[in-house]
Amino acid sequence: MQTEAEWKFTAKDIAEKPDLFLSGHRACAGCGPATVLRLIMKAVRGPTIVTNATGCMEVVSSIYPYTSWAIPWLHTAFENAAANASGIEAALKILKKKGRSKHEHVDVIALAGDGGTYDIGIQALSGAVERGHDFLYVLYDNEAYMNTGIQRSGGTPLGASTTTSPAGTVIPGKLEHKKPIADIMVAHDMPYVATASPYYWRDLLVKVRKGLEVNGPAFLHVFAPCPRGWRSDPAKSIELSRLAVETCIFPLWEAVNGEYQLSTPSKVFALAPQKKKPVKEYLQVQGRFRHLFTPKFEKLTEEIQRVTDERWKRLLKKCGM
Ligand SMILES: Cc1ncc(C[n+]2csc(CCOP(=O)(O)OP(=O)(O)O)c2C)c(N)n1
Ligand code: SF4
């Protein structure tokens, strides 16, 4: 097992490492989740099996007879990526015990969107973590059920217009706040939970590797802009991944054995609060929030700012800052 100091995640190392999530998939231009997958696969440490819940990333990467996966990959139903991962991990253990595996270790990664995690997949996830299976669960959060036409999920933020929370004369987009899924996972007393954003690619890669290195379950919540569902410029997905951190709407942190620590990109805003950007800067570049900039609904931006500040304050407290 390597130590953090031995992991090489410089731009040169990454460029030289062969891709395991290959180009030629059918994701839209500027797709955040596709960038996230490519990055994640740069951080794996050896033989790896990925199991992928139904959703955009499964569909775009596996249109028969093609695949974007240069490693063993299993499609699973919408609701049970974590159950599938626990089965794979248990089977690998048995094969090793019986001397029928040539590998010292095989990493198992479960992959799902926000619909497949916050909502329909949470019981399988909670159960797999409670049983202590050794796997990394990656939630790529594009904040709606994108594959089936932009329906709201528990991960959709307040005020976002989706096809099932349409902004119009009656409602200002989604009426509820985003569920604090990563905190819910920390409450499982699991060894490793972290949040990440693709703009801060090195932080993301290190967190993937940490999640794989721990003995037991790990959960990584990755911010993943979807230009189609967010009605944003495909060229701005990575910029949005930075703005989400700079506004503290999606702060970066990790919890190792339940101990919260702020990650470096977010620490900047804890140490110099004047650098924190207003959430309006993040909201105004996305069509899904366009209605919030009309007189009828503009008050909601203040509420989004209030809740963002409140959650940020709470996080700082948990991190002892
Ligand atoms: C039990 C079940 N219900 C509904 C569906 C239809 N379905 C397939 S993908 C999907 C949305 C997936 O959303 P999410 O997990 O957020 O991933 P994304 O498409 O955004 O990547 C739905 C509702 C299904 N496959 N199985
Ligand atoms: S709809 Fe969104 S998540 Fe799905 S492939 Fe397109 S950009 Fe990616």
Side-chain angles (χ1 to χ4, degrees):
M1 208 169 267
Q2 291 179 310
T3 63
E4 192 173 342
E6 290 167 307
W7 308 340
K8 286 193 173 171
F9 293 133
T10 63
K12 184 171 175 285
D13 293 319
I14 299 302
E16 283 172 357
K17 201 170 171 184
D19 273 315
L20 297 175
F21 181 72
L22 304 167
S23 58
H25 52 69
R26 313 278 180 94
C28 313
C31 174
T35 302
V36 167
L37 295 199
R38 191 170 171 210
L39 283 171
I40 284 170
M41 296 316 295
K42 293 281 187 181
V44 299
R45 56 182 176 166
T48 305
I49 299 176
V50 171
T51 180
N52 196 167
T54 303
C56 265
M57 287 306 97
E58 166 262 319
V59 169
V60 303
S61 68
S62 64
I63 297 174
Y64 184 80
Y66 304 107
T67 178
S68 284
W69 296 93
I71 52 156
W73 175 90
L74 287 89
H75 171 212
T76 168
F78 188 23
E79 61 278 17
N80 61 358
N84 215 26
S86 44
I88 295 167
E89 189 253 1
L92 288 167
K93 260 192 197 144
I94 294 289
L95 287 175
K96 195 172 164 204
K97 202 167 153 192
K98 292 187 170 175
R100 287 169 57 193
S101 171
K102 61 178 187 290
H103 302 295
E104 182 50 35
H105 187 77
V106 178
D107 284 321
V108 179
I109 299 178
L111 192 63
D114 48 291
T117 305
Y118 286 80
D119 300 342
I120 194 166
I122 197 166
Q123 71 83 18
L125 171 61
S126 180
V129 168
E130 184 266 330
R131 293 190 301 276
H133 289 284
D134 185 12
F135 74 114
L136 170 66
Y137 189 102
V138 177
L139 152 63
Y140 67 86
D141 192 355
N142 56 15
E143 300 191 324
Y145 295 60
M146 294 307 177
N147 181 53
T148 40
I150 323 172
Q151 293 88 21
R152 57 84 87 194
S153 78
T156 305
L158 175 71
S161 186
T162 70
T163 52
T164 48
S165 60
T169 49
V170 183
I171 55 162
K174 193 186 166 195
L175 295 170
E176 302 80 19
H177 289 287
K178 194 174 170 76
K179 199 196 279 188
I181 189 76
D183 293 310
I184 292 170
M185 296 320 296
V186 176
H188 283 69
D189 264 346
M190 59 192 291
Y192 190 73
V193 177
T195 65
S197 171
Y199 178 80
Y200 303 94
W201 58 270
R202 193 175 183 279
D203 179 73
L204 165 58
L205 295 177
V206 168
K207 285 168 173 170
V208 171
R209 183 59 73 86
K210 279 190 186 175
L212 292 171
E213 295 273 349
V214 294
N215 215 342
F219 181 83
L220 187 58
H221 179 188
V222 190
F223 185 79
C226 164
R228 182 173 168 265
W230 296 14
R231 310 278 182 241
S232 55
D233 181 347
K236 303 273 184 204
S237 293
I238 295 301
E239 212 171 299
L240 270 172
S241 306
R242 181 174 62 179
L243 259 180
V245 176
E246 289 175 336
T247 53
C248 299
I249 218 160
F250 195 93
L252 304 187
W253 52 269
E254 57 187 352
V256 182
N257 295 318
E259 294 290 327
Y260 279 79
Q261 327 168 5
L262 216 50
S263 306
T264 307
S266 280
K267 227 179 246 171
V268 174
F269 306 103
L271 299 175
Q274 74 281 6
K275 289 191 174 159
K276 187 169 167 266
K277 293 189 173 167
V279 294
K280 272 188 182 170
E281 284 191 29
Y282 168 78
L283 302 174
Q284 71 195 3
V285 288
Q286 301 173 59
R288 63 178 175 156
F289 296 117
R290 194 179 355 215
H291 53 284
L292 299 183
F293 295 88
T294 61
K296 187 172 165 66
F297 294 133
E298 67 188 355
K299 277 259 167 253
L300 206 59
T301 57
E302 288 165 29
E303 172 63 3
I304 296 170
Q305 184 67 65
R306 188 192 67 74
V307 174
T308 304
D309 292 345
E310 198 181 286
R311 287 186 171 188
W312 171 243
K313 220 164 107 191
R314 231 183 293 150
L315 175 64
L316 292 184
K317 208 166 157 194
K318 285 187 223 164
C319 296
M321 299 190 79

